[in-house]
Amino acid sequence: ETGVTQTPRHLVMGMTNKKSLKCEQHLGHNAMYWYKQSAKKPLELMFVYSLEERVENNSVPSRFSPECPNSSHLFLHLHTLQPEDSALYLCASSQGGAQGANVLTFGAGSRLTVL
Amino acid sequence: GQNIDQPTEMTATEGAIVQINCTYQTSGFNGLFWYQQHAGEAPTFLSYNVLDGLEEKGRFSSFLSRSKGYSYLLLKELQMKDSASYLCAVSRGSTLGRLYFGRGTQLTVWP
């Protein structure tokens, strides 16, 4: 366990379904992130939250909707997804400040398959 | 965008030394990171370089040349458990974890 927990670990959904991915960090960090990892492609940054405020939306389609109710929890709400959205979705957290800000601690990911 | 290049695959034998190279082209460079990712697991932080030179941490070392846009990760005394994907990532001018990753190098260590 890394201190960042993601649920569910695996999710299969149809294109008309609505589901949510959950991330919880137990590290006392103040920034949280969603990254997407597709086969044979680099990890892509999707969203950044700092102190519960969204500070970056990296041109992500609106069918992905993040929510950060507090500094320990992050959600990714999914609706009307496409098969090409099938990927591993990784949550990460970091501690703000010049030294440690960019050292991300990742969760194990939620493997999403869209049929 | 960022161009971050690293080899797709490498193989080596137990006890050997392997060097994984990473080249990058980016503006506002603010540091280079290496992460290790075993299949089905979370990427884990290995090293961070912001100044030129070599950072040593046990069996793993990482080198950076900012003028050349080049880094490498050196793994010594390879063990079977070192078989994993090694991800090179660049940070750009930010205090937040906006990292831009390469595609990763899949290292296989043979007995």
Side-chain angles (χ1 to χ4, degrees), chain B residues 43-80:
Chain B
T44 55
F45 170 75
L46 289 178
S47 69
Y48 166 61
N49 295 70
V50 64
L51 300 175
D52 285 359
L54 188 68
E55 294 280 343
E56 296 187 76
K57 220 189 244 188
R59 292 191 300 116
F60 293 4
S61 304
S62 57
F63 172 83
L64 176 66
S65 169
R66 294 178 65 142
S67 62
K68 296 182 179 177
Y70 168 68
S71 172
Y72 67 72
L73 180 69
L74 192 71
L75 294 78
K76 303 175 187 173
E77 301 168 18
L78 281 174
Q79 302 174 12
M80 299 285 289

Side-chain angles (χ1 to χ4, degrees), chain B residues 10-29:
Chain B
M10 297 184 72
T11 60
T13 52
E14 259 188 315
I17 299 173
V18 72
Q19 178 175 311
I20 304 175
N21 296 324
C22 174
T23 59
Y24 63 90
Q25 290 178 301
T26 188
S27 57
F29 176 83

